[in-house]
Amino acid sequence: MTTARIIFVDDEPRVLDGLRRSLRVRRDEWGMDFVTSGADALELMAESSCDVIVSDIRMPEMDGAELLTHVSEHHPEVARVALSGQAESDAAIKVAIAGHRFLTKPTDAESVSRVVEQLIVRTSNEHCVEVRRMAGSVRALPTIPEHLGQLTALFRASEIDLATAIRAASHDIGLTAKLLQLSTSAFFGARARTASVESVVNALGLPVVQALTAGEQMLWSPLDLDSADEVHLGMTWRHAVATAHLVESIASPANRAFAYAAALLQDVGRFVCLAHAVKGDTAAMDITASGFRGIPYRHIGVELLHLWGLPEPIINAVAERDLEHEPSSSGMGVATALRAAHLLIQQTESRDHSDGAHDEELAALLTHPQLVARGVDWRSAADEMSTSAEQWSFLETPS
Amino acid sequence: MFAGAPILTEGSDIVGVVWVSDHQPHHRIDEHVGELLVALAGNAALRAELGGPRLQEYEHLAEMLQSAAFRCDPKGILEWVSPSWLTLTGFSAETMVGQPLSQYIPGKPDNEGSYSFPGPTDELTHRAHGSLLVSGGSSVPVLVILKRIRVQEHGGGAVLGVVTDIREQQQRELGIRHDQKLESLGRLSAGIAHEINTPIQFVGDNTRFLASAYQEMLNLLFVYRECMDSPAGGMSWNEHGERARKAEQKADIDYLAAEVPAAVEQSLEGIERVASLVRAMKSFSYKDANDRSYSDLNEALRTTLTVARNEVKYVADVILDLGDVPDVLCHVGDLNQVFLNLLVNAADAIGEQDGRGEIRISTRTEGSTVVIAFTDTGCGIPEDIRQVIFEPFFTTKEVGKGTGQGLALARTVVHEKHGGTIEVHPGATGGTAFVLRLPIDGKGSKGT
């Protein structure tokens, strides 16, 4: 196995010297380069391949946001880590969009090592290079075209209230993914208490969320989708929302936030591909298919969640959504809860032409003591969630 | 706020009051208005054909005024004071009339807060700050506006005046100064956090490295000790040597020998960076606004630069061209604030443009003044707004980026507190130059 290659960028040579010394224990596993400018880093990347870049934000000439954005476009296979001592500036917002992981100074070598180590791991075995390139190129996921206007107006309004913002963000796939990505670090100050959009928005504060959504970088939609694709994206989104609402009552309280997020992000791979394809060939991508050029959308989505550092239970649940699950005798995990909710919602959606393929599995899952004990008619609950997802609107005020 | 002046007839009867009011809560009436009112009142009196019956009305008005008005003979003996004087000071008109004005507003010749009593040929309107005696012995800061008028009695002259309590205004100015300090503090604190974070990052990394290096060296030392201790018969010298060499290799002793001293040196350097920043912060805000002392302005400029380094270093190189200047009698805390505003403005002006710029800070002595110049290569100030940049609330910065108080306060501090001047010129190569002149021996010295 070739050693991983990491590039560290900081305009302060002393910081680089410190990192070089404290990361020296890794010298047999990693090839490390330390450079004092973005230009030097890009030059190195042009010469030979690289796995991870760790960059300071505030630098003269090319700052960290600019560098990471450039890397996302020209070297999408390189994982992007921001290491900064300052987070309230406009540059920090740009970095929040361009980066994969965020570390704040002062940080210790172990934290840097841990993040780099995770990023070297690739989730897809068969298509690891292509999957990393596709997932890596994405800075923000697209929102579905019919929602864009409403979301944009909502977040740019001067008097948006917290409840409305949380309700909207937790029903948009791209925003949910980005906010959960930011929740794993204390980059903007406070750290979120749970993996829910609500707690992330509370931790970041509305001004940061509004700053994040202000540019066209964060809230966007592909322009050239044909109507069939738009319809399919709408269905994907409604399925995600219905599943998310249902899984909230299926999952145990401890797993609820994870399960909700996993349900909303279950088909995130399609959005990743869409974002990636926009740069080249939307035509080559078939949204209704299960993959892109032979690579399952699921692999691409899971790689993105991994790159963005979302909590493990969410990633696993998304990865295992299409695997057959058996009810375990112990508590129901996030992945099984998602699988059960997904099958229930799927059944309500395809009632008229159900092939009955997963009927047995679902029936078995519904016998799990955790679900039985609740005394809920899960099939009619699923019907209800599907209907309410059909009618759901961003503009409605939360009751 | 109100301001007013009495209209007095030649017989020194009060026949009316000219007054203006401004209902905006935080709007202070321009001091020129007071001058204007006194002049107007004099004019009105000359032309007055006002009859007795209305006299009472004007006395009521005078009573309602918040400023106190008075009339003196040419020697400064009070002939009439408005009823509001009583409200202001607790002294009654009866006790005051016939007494010299200087008893109630003591003139302090050649000092701060003095005003000059107009002489026989003086027809100017005088404005000055003074302190007004109130019953009980304390005093109140006031603005005194007075003018000699032509009358038939006293050989043709009398002096009219208006006395306005400026405590509220001073309080407000203090508030604005405080707001401005907080604003620059907020901006600075983010920069200072960054300036501290960076050394803390590498001092931490180096210290962790030193801890592991120490452990490796200690392990090596133990191997050496074992070699020394083992009984002579146990192992040959060659075997000892071989063991020590292996242990050295494991510890990578050559690397440690090279890196440990560098790690120590850089850690100490980092600690010094934080320490000097903390020292600068302390001296930046140390001096109380009321303390006037002889201070080294070159040192003050260096301090300001250290504190604001993070605001500047990404956009400009700062060139210090500090001459051999004597200590200046000043409120150094206030001047630090002025220097900070000028430095941050220069950095912002350069930040507006592409590419790196230059800020030159120079000091030199010129006669009895010290001249401090801030010259930047930034975007410059268009000629049409050069006149208004010192006005309060004038700003070209985005909403939320500046309150427009920085230069207004700079002018107040330099002009009023130090008797100096502040001028703005276009820089030689584009950009802007701010030139401050401060009298070495402070306000009121020959330098003013």
Side-chain angles (χ1 to χ4, degrees), chain A residues 12 14 21 24 106-107, chain B residues 197 201 206 252 255 259 269:
Chain A
E12 174 66 65
R14 293 285 179 266
R21 290 187 191 113
R24 186 162 180 273
T107 185
Chain B
N197 253 338
Q201 173 70 45
N206 282 330
D252 204 351
Y255 176 83
E259 288 295 310
E269 182 202 308

Side-chain angles (χ1 to χ4, degrees), chain A residues 94-175:
Chain A
K94 289 189 197 135
V95 164
I97 291 169
H100 289 141
R101 302 289 183 96
F102 314 97
L103 290 168
T104 49
K105 280 181 199 164
T107 185
D108 52 52
E110 289 80 60
S111 306
V112 179
S113 290
R114 205 176 314 123
V115 164
V116 169
E117 221 163 49
Q118 283 174 12
L119 288 173
I120 289 168
V121 172
R122 301 182 180 203
T123 56
S124 170
N125 290 327
E126 310 101 279
H127 313 282
C128 66
V129 176
E130 197 45 29
V131 165
R132 169 62 56 110
R133 283 183 65 83
M134 289 172 76
S137 72
V138 176
R139 294 189 295 265
L141 294 168
T143 200
I144 60 175
E146 57 179 300
H147 294 159
L148 184 63
Q150 294 173 2
L151 272 175
T152 311
L154 205 144
F155 279 103
R156 294 195 188 153
S158 49
E159 72 279 20
I160 182 175
D161 64 283
L162 196 65
T164 311
I166 289 168
R167 181 175 181 271
S170 59
H171 286 86
D172 182 73
I173 291 168
L175 270 175

